[in-house]
Amino acid sequence: CASIFGYEIGASSIRAARKAGVKAFAALCAYQNWADGGVWLINHSAHPLQPYFASDEDFRKPEPKSNNSVLMLNQLNKHALTFMEHQLGAFDTCLLDDAATGPFAGGRAGRLEVDEIYLSRMLDAVEAELQVQACRKGPWFLDFGIQDFKSPTRPVETTRANLLLFDYLLRRVQEGANIVFCGQRGQIDYYQRYSEIPETVGYEPNWQCGSKAYGSVRHGGMLVDYPDAMEIENARYTAWFKSNEGILPAYHWDYANPWNYPDWGNTELPRYAGSRNLRYDTDDRYAITPMITDIRKMKVTRAEKEQGGALEITVTLESPIALTKFPLGLWNIPCEWNAGEGWWTVTGTNRFVPIRAPYTGNLNGILEVDAKPGKNEYRLTISTPKRVPQSQDILLKTVHAKVFTRDNQTMAYIWPMQPWETDFELTVPEGKSAQYYAAPKGERVDLPPGKHRLTINKESWSRIVGLTKEELETALKELM
């Protein structure tokens, strides 16, 4: 048997699969850590996002390949952190935020037309993955959840959204994008060349962009200005960094240490009121199993200076414990990213892994270090030309916006910073035109040159298409 599909997976599942000669489990719900439907107890956190060989010790922990290894595959990829923390961000056209109030939710008022505007956030996410691929040394498997493709219990919009996603991918292939389609059998065959899972990196901009605006401005759920996230995973660890939390990892799962965690667990920990989500945004994140490295007593600083025409970055880490191959995240380094190697050197540290942020092109990276208890110092020297880090964000007092440029088109998502209907002003420059789409229905409104008073519905968001970020920075004005 090549693979089996099982929703509730545990350590006993892996042992049974080995005995039966099964090559893969094909049903991981990446970073889901809650009971689905109150019945299926799913704790699929802590594992690498890419396929990995499961350990007998814990199905979420990778191990080197053996003669009877079981490869773990995803049902569908997600924005891992926002899904783990807030159940938001799946590569599934049935779970798009527009759809949550639209044709897939019992006929409630949603977007009237299933088109690329409707699908835009998912396409922004796909484009981000294509841009990050330049930093990877191998393929990145992106698994799409195609639910109810032609189900008689779902309206035709479900199938239309699924087909639209694949139409877009096929068009990108025709344009020269480095995309290859394969099934899970192809993933199984590909990983047979490795003795352990290969290292890879990721970078997730916030492509939700205010789509859950009620979360932060009303009852403290997901931030509408969710930070960018950067990731590295290999056979030794998986680590995630948040741009608003600095150099230390927000989540670091160490695979080098023994694990002894329950398949489910965490039943005694608090969850959001009225939600099945664990409170990852508090110190309880350090009690959730599988456990992350506790960084609360670590202190880290970063200093920069020019040295012989290069940029020298000094990182100082104070740790109460010894650390081996521990990753630190460096954000928005004011230098250009280049393909290949040879444009940086390290002193006192193991290595540097550069990562180019999608959409902005900003240089970021992972500094992997060993540390003894006490104070440790590391240096990274970069010789590429200087470059001022860019931002996708436009931040006004009453509204925020984030700008994405792809397919020769710029789209800005704009959302309110208060839980009520919000007006703002947009001045379209002479010789330009713009289109405005207000959620939830998203009907197109053409905007000629001149001033326009526009409204974002209560606890909602809007889209503006057709103006560059520089034009939007001048054109947007808050109305008090």
Side-chain angles (χ1 to χ4, degrees):
C1 177
S3 66
I4 58 176
F5 191 97
Y7 203 26
E8 287 186 286
I9 304 169
S12 60
S13 309
I14 305 305
R15 290 191 289 271
R18 289 184 192 276
K19 291 180 180 179
V22 173
K23 296 296 184 183
F25 259 103
L28 282 175
C29 296
Y31 285 33
Q32 179 173 323
N33 194 354
W34 33 264
D36 198 344
V39 178
W40 297 294
L41 306 180
I42 310 300
N43 182 349
H44 294 181
S45 63
H47 63 78
L49 286 188
Q50 292 295 282
Y52 64 95
F53 302 108
S55 169
D56 272 343
E57 194 175 292
D58 193 296
F59 73 96
R60 294 155 295 208
K61 182 181 181 181
E63 70 171 14
K65 188 180 71 173
S66 62
N67 290 334
N68 59 350
S69 286
V70 177
L71 191 68
M72 306 300 287
L73 305 174
N74 289 312
Q75 288 187 53
L76 70 162
N77 285 81
K78 304 176 178 74
H79 187 308
L81 295 194
T82 61
F83 195 82
M84 183 172 70
E85 296 174 354
H86 305 287
Q87 294 178 232
L88 183 66
F91 275 95
D92 185 339
T93 59
C94 291
L95 298 179
L96 288 170
D97 197 67
D98 273 346
T101 56
F104 311 140
R108 294 195 299 272
R111 181 161 170 78
L112 300 180
E113 185 178 357
V114 178
D115 56 12
E116 286 197 7
I117 293 293
Y118 164 87
L119 204 61
S120 61
R121 282 193 178 85
M122 189 163 288
L123 304 188
D124 294 335
V126 169
E127 178 61 28
E129 295 293 358
L130 288 172
Q131 292 186 26
V132 177
Q133 190 59 28
C135 306
R136 298 171 177 140
K137 295 181 179 179
W140 176 267
F141 289 100
L142 189 59
D143 300 287
F144 291 92
I146 305 300
Q147 298 192 45
D148 302 316
F149 191 70
K150 291 187 177 181
S151 169
T153 63
R154 293 278 194 173
V156 295
E157 285 86 356
T158 307
T159 297
R160 203 187 314 164
N162 288 326
L163 289 172
L164 183 62
L165 175 60
F166 280 95
D167 286 346
Y168 176 82
L169 293 171
L170 289 168
R171 190 174 78 233
R172 292 305 310 274
V173 170
Q174 292 170 344
E175 294 168 351
N178 190 16
I179 298 173
V180 175
F181 296 91
C182 78
Q184 291 182 329
R185 178 77 228 194
Q187 294 183 7
I188 296 170
D189 291 343
Y190 175 79
Y191 272 84
Q192 300 314 305
R193 70 186 68 191
Y194 293 108
S195 58
E196 63 180 20
I197 62 168
E199 180 174 272
T200 193
V201 296
Y203 192 107
E204 291 277 7
N206 176 24
W207 44 269
Q208 280 84 12
C209 300
S211 63
K212 291 288 183 182
Y214 63 82
S216 68
V217 299
R218 188 174 71 178
H219 60 70
M222 176 182 165
L223 296 170
V224 291
D225 292 310
Y226 195 85
D228 284 7
M230 181 165 57
E231 187 238 10
I232 182 171
E233 62 184 44
N234 52 47
R236 184 181 177 88
Y237 60 80
T238 288
W240 281 92
F241 302 81
K242 291 183 176 182
S243 59
N244 67 341
E245 295 191 16
I247 298 172
L248 292 169
Y251 301 95
H252 173 258
W253 290 285
D254 191 341
Y255 304 138
N257 294 326
W259 281 23
N260 184 24
Y261 300 119
D263 294 338
W264 171 234
N266 303 306
T267 55
E268 75 287 358
L269 295 178
R271 297 174 186 260
Y272 284 113
S275 170
R276 49 194 174 179
N277 271 38
L278 291 160
R279 293 297 302 268
Y280 278 96
D281 59 340
T282 70
D283 281 350
D284 287 316
R285 77 164 77 172
Y286 297 102
I288 296 171
T289 60
M291 289 184 177
I292 58 174
T293 300
D294 193 337
I295 63 168
R296 285 174 291 185
K297 293 183 179 180
M298 298 181 190
K299 296 180 180 179
V300 64
T301 60
R302 166 181 164 181
E304 299 175 359
K305 68 176 181 179
E306 288 191 37
Q307 187 74 23
L311 178 70
E312 182 180 276
I313 300 175
T314 301
V315 176
T316 302
L317 172 65
E318 294 183 45
S319 173
I321 59 173
L323 300 166
T324 301
K325 295 185 177 180
F326 187 73
L328 302 173
L330 300 181
W331 297 92
N332 295 327
I333 299 170
C335 295
E336 290 183 4
W337 174 88
N338 276 351
E341 301 181 359
W343 46 275
W344 72 85
T345 58
V346 294
T347 305
T349 183
N350 296 334
R351 61 192 180 114
F352 174 65
V353 182
I355 302 174
R356 180 182 182 273
Y359 295 106
T360 64
N362 294 342
L363 173 60
N364 308 274
I366 307 297
L367 198 65
E368 188 183 84
V369 305
D370 294 334
K372 62 182 185 300
K375 187 175 181 179
N376 304 265
E377 189 172 276
Y378 317 99
R379 287 188 177 84
L380 168 67
T381 303
I382 297 177
S383 59
T384 55
K386 294 180 184 178
R387 180 183 183 273
V388 177
Q390 305 298 303
S391 173
Q392 293 178 260
D393 300 312
I394 301 174
L395 308 178
L396 304 179
K397 185 176 181 179
T398 60
V399 294
H400 285 185
K402 199 174 192 76
V403 183
F404 292 79
T405 300
R406 58 169 170 78
D407 304 322
N408 300 313
Q409 177 179 264
T410 299
M411 176 181 291
Y413 303 91
I414 184 166
W415 57 91
M417 297 306 293
Q418 57 278 316
W420 51 73
E421 184 176 275
T422 301
D423 290 343
F424 67 98
E425 185 177 273
L426 178 71
T427 302
V428 179
E430 287 297 326
K432 299 287 298 239
S433 63
Q435 297 81 47
Y436 183 64
Y437 302 82
K441 292 191 176 182
E443 296 170 295
R444 173 172 169 164
V445 178
D446 291 318
L447 303 177
K451 291 184 178 180
H452 303 272
R453 186 184 184 101
L454 302 170
T455 299
I456 306 175
N457 293 322
K458 180 182 177 181
E459 299 168 356
S460 192
W461 68 97
S462 295
R463 300 171 171 89
I464 301 169
V465 179
L467 300 181
T468 66
K469 182 172 186 288
E470 293 72 20
E471 290 169 337
L472 286 164
E473 286 174 329
T474 302
L476 287 172
K477 180 182 178 182
E478 60 193 358
L479 297 174
M480 305 301 288

